[in-house]
Amino acid sequence: MRVTETLERKIGYVFKNKELLRLALTHSSYNSEKSHLHNYERLEFLGDSILGFTAAEYFYHKLADRPEGELTKIRANAVCEKSLAAFAADLGLGEFILMSRGEELQGGRHRPSILADCVESVIAAIYLDGGIDEAKKFALGPVKSASTDVASVTDYKTMLQEIIQKNPDEQLRYVLAAESGPDHMKSFTVEVYLNSNLVGTGVGGSKKKAEQAAAREALRLMGIEL
């Protein structure tokens, strides 16, 4: 599959060096015998920093009356995997990613983690090809579409997952510990484990709310300011 002018129109930027865009969309499974220099991982690393700065600068000016704690949560929501994957899906970015047939058959073109990574790698590719101003124009796409309502953006499960996934040896697991009450007034108790260690317990009127409560307790246990 070739990177085409169609993709550049979707991105809103025409590359001088087309190979940079190709590299930004090359998954590690594509010609997997090649080294890390032949996939998007290094670009993703750079793009993550550019995206974070762009989001911080944008919200600093746009939300001049908000305290630092709220700005931090709003920025985290704007640059999280879920938000970036949704932005990539809207662009149809997945159809342009170079990956192995096996990865594609396993749903790689629609996997949120891959889509989010490619948004960051494309940001870096634009930066290297055309400079910071052009990179920020593209990065502002997911940032501007993000919610600025703190109550709606505080996703404790995502916050916890993003902290834990920095160490690939650590695994999170949510367990439904109890369920009580009549159908119209259910109460759920969920426990979250880090490997085999119980790190949080939450109660809520739905499993999702109980999981969020458990994740919040785990973050507090880790000393994360909420």
Side-chain angles (χ1 to χ4, degrees), residues 156-157 160 172-175 189-193 198-204 207-221:
Y156 298 111
K157 283 187 67 177
L160 181 60
L172 283 174
R173 180 169 54 94
Y174 291 85
V175 176
T189 301
V190 168
E191 297 174 338
V192 58
Y193 290 83
L198 176 64
V199 292
T201 302
V203 178
K207 291 179 184 178
K208 288 184 178 180
K209 289 180 179 179
E211 288 174 352
Q212 287 287 345
R216 183 176 186 178
E217 184 176 289
L219 288 166
R220 284 177 169 169
L221 182 66

mmCIF file of all heavy atoms in Angstrom, residues 156-157 160 172-175 189-193 198-204 207-221:
data_model
loop_
_atom_site.group_PDB
_atom_site.id
_atom_site.type_symbol
_atom_site.label_atom_id
_atom_site.label_comp_id
_atom_site.label_asym_id
_atom_site.label_seq_id
_atom_site.Cartn_x
_atom_site.Cartn_y
_atom_site.Cartn_z
ATOM 1 N N TYR A 156 -10.209 7.674 35.544
ATOM 2 C CA TYR A 156 -9.198 7.126 36.445
ATOM 3 C C TYR A 156 -8.614 5.813 35.927
ATOM 4 O O TYR A 156 -7.438 5.524 36.147
ATOM 5 C CB TYR A 156 -9.798 6.940 37.833
ATOM 6 C CG TYR A 156 -10.256 8.233 38.463
ATOM 7 C CD1 TYR A 156 -11.615 8.494 38.646
ATOM 8 C CD2 TYR A 156 -9.346 9.197 38.848
ATOM 9 C CE1 TYR A 156 -12.044 9.690 39.217
ATOM 10 C CE2 TYR A 156 -9.766 10.401 39.414
ATOM 11 C CZ TYR A 156 -11.116 10.637 39.590
ATOM 12 O OH TYR A 156 -11.526 11.826 40.143
ATOM 13 N N LYS A 157 -9.425 5.012 35.243
ATOM 14 C CA LYS A 157 -8.922 3.751 34.699
ATOM 15 C C LYS A 157 -7.819 4.012 33.670
ATOM 16 O O LYS A 157 -6.789 3.334 33.668
ATOM 17 C CB LYS A 157 -10.053 2.949 34.054
ATOM 18 C CG LYS A 157 -10.957 2.230 35.026
ATOM 19 C CD LYS A 157 -11.948 1.331 34.307
ATOM 20 C CE LYS A 157 -11.248 0.161 33.621
ATOM 21 N NZ LYS A 157 -12.223 -0.758 32.976
ATOM 22 N N LEU A 160 -4.650 5.281 35.389
ATOM 23 C CA LEU A 160 -3.938 4.188 36.037
ATOM 24 C C LEU A 160 -3.242 3.303 35.013
ATOM 25 O O LEU A 160 -2.072 2.927 35.180
ATOM 26 C CB LEU A 160 -4.918 3.362 36.875
ATOM 27 C CG LEU A 160 -4.341 2.174 37.645
ATOM 28 C CD1 LEU A 160 -3.275 2.629 38.636
ATOM 29 C CD2 LEU A 160 -5.464 1.423 38.373
ATOM 30 N N LEU A 172 -2.621 -5.049 35.159
ATOM 31 C CA LEU A 172 -3.791 -4.676 35.943
ATOM 32 C C LEU A 172 -4.926 -5.654 35.668
ATOM 33 O O LEU A 172 -5.101 -6.120 34.544
ATOM 34 C CB LEU A 172 -4.266 -3.268 35.579
ATOM 35 C CG LEU A 172 -3.480 -2.087 36.136
ATOM 36 C CD1 LEU A 172 -4.016 -0.798 35.539
ATOM 37 C CD2 LEU A 172 -3.550 -2.036 37.660
ATOM 38 N N ARG A 173 -5.730 -5.910 36.698
ATOM 39 C CA ARG A 173 -6.872 -6.828 36.545
ATOM 40 C C ARG A 173 -8.006 -6.355 37.447
ATOM 41 O O ARG A 173 -7.815 -6.129 38.634
ATOM 42 C CB ARG A 173 -6.430 -8.247 36.938
ATOM 43 C CG ARG A 173 -7.494 -9.317 36.835
ATOM 44 C CD ARG A 173 -6.839 -10.691 36.976
ATOM 45 N NE ARG A 173 -6.042 -10.807 38.188
ATOM 46 C CZ ARG A 173 -6.485 -11.306 39.338
ATOM 47 N NH1 ARG A 173 -7.742 -11.742 39.428
ATOM 48 N NH2 ARG A 173 -5.697 -11.398 40.396
ATOM 49 N N TYR A 174 -9.190 -6.178 36.844
ATOM 50 C CA TYR A 174 -10.370 -5.761 37.595
ATOM 51 C C TYR A 174 -11.253 -6.981 37.854
ATOM 52 O O TYR A 174 -11.551 -7.747 36.933
ATOM 53 C CB TYR A 174 -11.157 -4.696 36.840
ATOM 54 C CG TYR A 174 -10.445 -3.367 36.744
ATOM 55 C CD1 TYR A 174 -9.520 -3.120 35.738
ATOM 56 C CD2 TYR A 174 -10.680 -2.368 37.685
ATOM 57 C CE1 TYR A 174 -8.844 -1.909 35.652
ATOM 58 C CE2 TYR A 174 -10.022 -1.145 37.618
ATOM 59 C CZ TYR A 174 -9.107 -0.928 36.595
ATOM 60 O OH TYR A 174 -8.436 0.283 36.528
ATOM 61 N N VAL A 175 -11.661 -7.153 39.103
ATOM 62 C CA VAL A 175 -12.445 -8.316 39.503
ATOM 63 C C VAL A 175 -13.733 -7.851 40.172
ATOM 64 O O VAL A 175 -13.702 -7.020 41.094
ATOM 65 C CB VAL A 175 -11.651 -9.215 40.479
ATOM 66 C CG1 VAL A 175 -12.529 -10.376 40.959
ATOM 67 C CG2 VAL A 175 -10.386 -9.734 39.815
ATOM 68 N N THR A 189 -19.310 -4.019 43.677
ATOM 69 C CA THR A 189 -18.010 -3.812 44.305
ATOM 70 C C THR A 189 -16.950 -4.445 43.419
ATOM 71 O O THR A 189 -17.036 -5.631 43.078
ATOM 72 C CB THR A 189 -17.941 -4.456 45.703
ATOM 73 O OG1 THR A 189 -18.961 -3.877 46.528
ATOM 74 C CG2 THR A 189 -16.581 -4.221 46.348
ATOM 75 N N VAL A 190 -15.983 -3.642 43.020
ATOM 76 C CA VAL A 190 -14.918 -4.110 42.123
ATOM 77 C C VAL A 190 -13.569 -3.923 42.806
ATOM 78 O O VAL A 190 -13.323 -2.894 43.447
ATOM 79 C CB VAL A 190 -14.957 -3.347 40.782
ATOM 80 C CG1 VAL A 190 -13.692 -3.623 39.966
ATOM 81 C CG2 VAL A 190 -16.190 -3.748 39.973
ATOM 82 N N GLU A 191 -12.720 -4.905 42.663
ATOM 83 C CA GLU A 191 -11.344 -4.825 43.165
ATOM 84 C C GLU A 191 -10.388 -4.756 41.982
ATOM 85 O O GLU A 191 -10.608 -5.420 40.958
ATOM 86 C CB GLU A 191 -11.013 -6.056 44.011
ATOM 87 C CG GLU A 191 -11.870 -6.173 45.274
ATOM 88 C CD GLU A 191 -11.640 -7.456 46.023
ATOM 89 O OE1 GLU A 191 -11.152 -8.435 45.406
ATOM 90 O OE2 GLU A 191 -11.973 -7.497 47.223
ATOM 91 N N VAL A 192 -9.352 -3.956 42.094
ATOM 92 C CA VAL A 192 -8.339 -3.888 41.051
ATOM 93 C C VAL A 192 -7.016 -4.412 41.617
ATOM 94 O O VAL A 192 -6.608 -4.051 42.722
ATOM 95 C CB VAL A 192 -8.173 -2.451 40.494
ATOM 96 C CG1 VAL A 192 -7.805 -1.454 41.572
ATOM 97 C CG2 VAL A 192 -7.148 -2.439 39.364
ATOM 98 N N TYR A 193 -6.404 -5.298 40.857
ATOM 99 C CA TYR A 193 -5.157 -5.941 41.278
ATOM 100 C C TYR A 193 -4.019 -5.515 40.354
ATOM 101 O O TYR A 193 -4.191 -5.427 39.130
ATOM 102 C CB TYR A 193 -5.283 -7.458 41.227
ATOM 103 C CG TYR A 193 -6.191 -8.034 42.289
ATOM 104 C CD1 TYR A 193 -7.575 -8.067 42.115
ATOM 105 C CD2 TYR A 193 -5.662 -8.548 43.471
ATOM 106 C CE1 TYR A 193 -8.414 -8.586 43.090
ATOM 107 C CE2 TYR A 193 -6.492 -9.078 44.456
ATOM 108 C CZ TYR A 193 -7.858 -9.085 44.263
ATOM 109 O OH TYR A 193 -8.680 -9.613 45.236
ATOM 110 N N LEU A 198 -3.788 -6.588 45.655
ATOM 111 C CA LEU A 198 -4.977 -5.743 45.671
ATOM 112 C C LEU A 198 -4.536 -4.300 45.929
ATOM 113 O O LEU A 198 -3.921 -3.998 46.947
ATOM 114 C CB LEU A 198 -5.939 -6.196 46.771
ATOM 115 C CG LEU A 198 -7.200 -5.343 46.981
ATOM 116 C CD1 LEU A 198 -8.080 -5.379 45.742
ATOM 117 C CD2 LEU A 198 -7.969 -5.843 48.205
ATOM 118 N N VAL A 199 -4.850 -3.399 44.991
ATOM 119 C CA VAL A 199 -4.398 -2.006 45.129
ATOM 120 C C VAL A 199 -5.567 -1.017 45.206
ATOM 121 O O VAL A 199 -5.356 0.181 45.403
ATOM 122 C CB VAL A 199 -3.461 -1.607 43.970
ATOM 123 C CG1 VAL A 199 -2.155 -2.371 44.055
ATOM 124 C CG2 VAL A 199 -4.130 -1.823 42.610
ATOM 125 N N GLY A 200 -6.805 -1.503 45.038
ATOM 126 C CA GLY A 200 -7.933 -0.588 45.135
ATOM 127 C C GLY A 200 -9.265 -1.309 45.115
ATOM 128 O O GLY A 200 -9.398 -2.354 44.473
ATOM 129 N N THR A 201 -10.226 -0.763 45.829
ATOM 130 C CA THR A 201 -11.595 -1.301 45.855
ATOM 131 C C THR A 201 -12.563 -0.151 45.618
ATOM 132 O O THR A 201 -12.400 0.933 46.196
ATOM 133 C CB THR A 201 -11.906 -1.970 47.197
ATOM 134 O OG1 THR A 201 -10.968 -3.023 47.432
ATOM 135 C CG2 THR A 201 -13.316 -2.556 47.187
ATOM 136 N N GLY A 202 -13.569 -0.382 44.771
ATOM 137 C CA GLY A 202 -14.533 0.659 44.485
ATOM 138 C C GLY A 202 -15.957 0.135 44.464
ATOM 139 O O GLY A 202 -16.187 -1.029 44.129
ATOM 140 N N VAL A 203 -16.897 0.996 44.825
ATOM 141 C CA VAL A 203 -18.315 0.649 44.826
ATOM 142 C C VAL A 203 -19.054 1.639 43.937
ATOM 143 O O VAL A 203 -18.777 2.848 43.965
ATOM 144 C CB VAL A 203 -18.889 0.687 46.251
ATOM 145 C CG1 VAL A 203 -20.382 0.368 46.229
ATOM 146 C CG2 VAL A 203 -18.139 -0.265 47.170
ATOM 147 N N GLY A 204 -20.017 1.129 43.147
ATOM 148 C CA GLY A 204 -20.778 2.012 42.280
ATOM 149 C C GLY A 204 -22.069 1.380 41.820
ATOM 150 O O GLY A 204 -22.285 0.169 42.000
ATOM 151 N N LYS A 207 -20.970 -1.507 36.984
ATOM 152 C CA LYS A 207 -19.616 -2.067 37.014
ATOM 153 C C LYS A 207 -18.588 -1.016 36.599
ATOM 154 O O LYS A 207 -17.497 -0.930 37.178
ATOM 155 C CB LYS A 207 -19.537 -3.282 36.098
ATOM 156 C CG LYS A 207 -20.330 -4.485 36.591
ATOM 157 C CD LYS A 207 -20.217 -5.644 35.609
ATOM 158 C CE LYS A 207 -21.088 -6.822 36.057
ATOM 159 N NZ LYS A 207 -21.036 -7.947 35.094
ATOM 160 N N LYS A 208 -18.942 -0.219 35.588
ATOM 161 C CA LYS A 208 -18.005 0.803 35.109
ATOM 162 C C LYS A 208 -17.697 1.831 36.193
ATOM 163 O O LYS A 208 -16.545 2.228 36.380
ATOM 164 C CB LYS A 208 -18.573 1.495 33.869
ATOM 165 C CG LYS A 208 -18.559 0.633 32.609
ATOM 166 C CD LYS A 208 -19.038 1.411 31.402
ATOM 167 C CE LYS A 208 -18.970 0.556 30.147
ATOM 168 N NZ LYS A 208 -19.432 1.316 28.941
ATOM 169 N N LYS A 209 -18.736 2.274 36.909
ATOM 170 C CA LYS A 209 -18.519 3.248 37.976
ATOM 171 C C LYS A 209 -17.702 2.647 39.110
ATOM 172 O O LYS A 209 -16.840 3.319 39.702
ATOM 173 C CB LYS A 209 -19.856 3.756 38.495
ATOM 174 C CG LYS A 209 -20.587 4.664 37.513
ATOM 175 C CD LYS A 209 -21.917 5.151 38.082
ATOM 176 C CE LYS A 209 -22.620 6.081 37.103
ATOM 177 N NZ LYS A 209 -23.931 6.555 37.612
ATOM 178 N N ALA A 210 -17.936 1.388 39.406
ATOM 179 C CA ALA A 210 -17.168 0.722 40.460
ATOM 180 C C ALA A 210 -15.709 0.565 40.056
ATOM 181 O O ALA A 210 -14.804 0.726 40.878
ATOM 182 C CB ALA A 210 -17.785 -0.639 40.772
ATOM 183 N N GLU A 211 -15.472 0.276 38.781
ATOM 184 C CA GLU A 211 -14.099 0.162 38.289
ATOM 185 C C GLU A 211 -13.382 1.501 38.366
ATOM 186 O O GLU A 211 -12.199 1.568 38.737
ATOM 187 C CB GLU A 211 -14.104 -0.358 36.847
ATOM 188 C CG GLU A 211 -14.483 -1.828 36.734
ATOM 189 C CD GLU A 211 -14.626 -2.276 35.292
ATOM 190 O OE1 GLU A 211 -14.587 -1.406 34.384
ATOM 191 O OE2 GLU A 211 -14.786 -3.491 35.061
ATOM 192 N N GLN A 212 -14.095 2.582 38.008
ATOM 193 C CA GLN A 212 -13.493 3.916 38.106
ATOM 194 C C GLN A 212 -13.143 4.243 39.551
ATOM 195 O O GLN A 212 -12.077 4.802 39.846
ATOM 196 C CB GLN A 212 -14.466 4.964 37.543
ATOM 197 C CG GLN A 212 -14.611 4.961 36.037
ATOM 198 C CD GLN A 212 -13.399 5.517 35.320
ATOM 199 O OE1 GLN A 212 -12.538 6.162 35.913
ATOM 200 N NE2 GLN A 212 -13.316 5.257 34.024
ATOM 201 N N ALA A 213 -14.024 3.893 40.464
ATOM 202 C CA ALA A 213 -13.779 4.155 41.886
ATOM 203 C C ALA A 213 -12.580 3.346 42.391
ATOM 204 O O ALA A 213 -11.769 3.840 43.181
ATOM 205 C CB ALA A 213 -15.030 3.824 42.699
ATOM 206 N N ALA A 214 -12.464 2.110 41.933
ATOM 207 C CA ALA A 214 -11.333 1.269 42.338
ATOM 208 C C ALA A 214 -10.022 1.827 41.794
ATOM 209 O O ALA A 214 -9.005 1.868 42.491
ATOM 210 C CB ALA A 214 -11.553 -0.163 41.842
ATOM 211 N N ALA A 215 -10.054 2.278 40.543
ATOM 212 C CA ALA A 215 -8.856 2.859 39.937
ATOM 213 C C ALA A 215 -8.448 4.137 40.661
ATOM 214 O O ALA A 215 -7.255 4.389 40.881
ATOM 215 C CB ALA A 215 -9.109 3.144 38.461
ATOM 216 N N ARG A 216 -9.443 4.936 41.050
ATOM 217 C CA ARG A 216 -9.147 6.172 41.785
ATOM 218 C C ARG A 216 -8.466 5.861 43.117
ATOM 219 O O ARG A 216 -7.494 6.540 43.494
ATOM 220 C CB ARG A 216 -10.427 6.963 42.014
ATOM 221 C CG ARG A 216 -10.192 8.297 42.714
ATOM 222 C CD ARG A 216 -11.475 9.092 42.831
ATOM 223 N NE ARG A 216 -11.200 10.422 43.368
ATOM 224 C CZ ARG A 216 -12.109 11.364 43.551
ATOM 225 N NH1 ARG A 216 -13.374 11.116 43.227
ATOM 226 N NH2 ARG A 216 -11.788 12.532 44.046
ATOM 227 N N GLU A 217 -8.949 4.843 43.814
ATOM 228 C CA GLU A 217 -8.321 4.465 45.083
ATOM 229 C C GLU A 217 -6.886 3.998 44.856
ATOM 230 O O GLU A 217 -5.985 4.317 45.647
ATOM 231 C CB GLU A 217 -9.132 3.363 45.761
ATOM 232 C CG GLU A 217 -8.573 2.988 47.132
ATOM 233 C CD GLU A 217 -9.424 1.962 47.855
ATOM 234 O OE1 GLU A 217 -10.533 2.333 48.299
ATOM 235 O OE2 GLU A 217 -8.994 0.801 47.961
ATOM 236 N N ALA A 218 -6.666 3.256 43.772
ATOM 237 C CA ALA A 218 -5.311 2.789 43.470
ATOM 238 C C ALA A 218 -4.375 3.960 43.186
ATOM 239 O O ALA A 218 -3.218 3.970 43.632
ATOM 240 C CB ALA A 218 -5.357 1.842 42.270
ATOM 241 N N LEU A 219 -4.862 4.961 42.460
ATOM 242 C CA LEU A 219 -4.048 6.145 42.164
ATOM 243 C C LEU A 219 -3.696 6.888 43.453
ATOM 244 O O LEU A 219 -2.568 7.359 43.617
ATOM 245 C CB LEU A 219 -4.807 7.062 41.208
ATOM 246 C CG LEU A 219 -4.928 6.562 39.754
ATOM 247 C CD1 LEU A 219 -5.979 7.357 39.000
ATOM 248 C CD2 LEU A 219 -3.581 6.643 39.045
ATOM 249 N N ARG A 220 -4.663 6.990 44.346
ATOM 250 C CA ARG A 220 -4.400 7.659 45.624
ATOM 251 C C ARG A 220 -3.358 6.901 46.432
ATOM 252 O O ARG A 220 -2.493 7.485 47.080
ATOM 253 C CB ARG A 220 -5.691 7.780 46.422
ATOM 254 C CG ARG A 220 -6.618 8.880 45.922
ATOM 255 C CD ARG A 220 -7.922 8.908 46.690
ATOM 256 N NE ARG A 220 -8.703 10.099 46.408
ATOM 257 C CZ ARG A 220 -9.954 10.280 46.775
ATOM 258 N NH1 ARG A 220 -10.585 9.335 47.452
ATOM 259 N NH2 ARG A 220 -10.599 11.404 46.488
ATOM 260 N N LEU A 221 -3.437 5.567 46.379
ATOM 261 C CA LEU A 221 -2.463 4.733 47.081
ATOM 262 C C LEU A 221 -1.058 4.973 46.539
ATOM 263 O O LEU A 221 -0.067 4.917 47.280
ATOM 264 C CB LEU A 221 -2.844 3.256 46.932
ATOM 265 C CG LEU A 221 -1.953 2.234 47.649
ATOM 266 C CD1 LEU A 221 -2.065 2.400 49.147
ATOM 267 C CD2 LEU A 221 -2.344 0.815 47.245
#
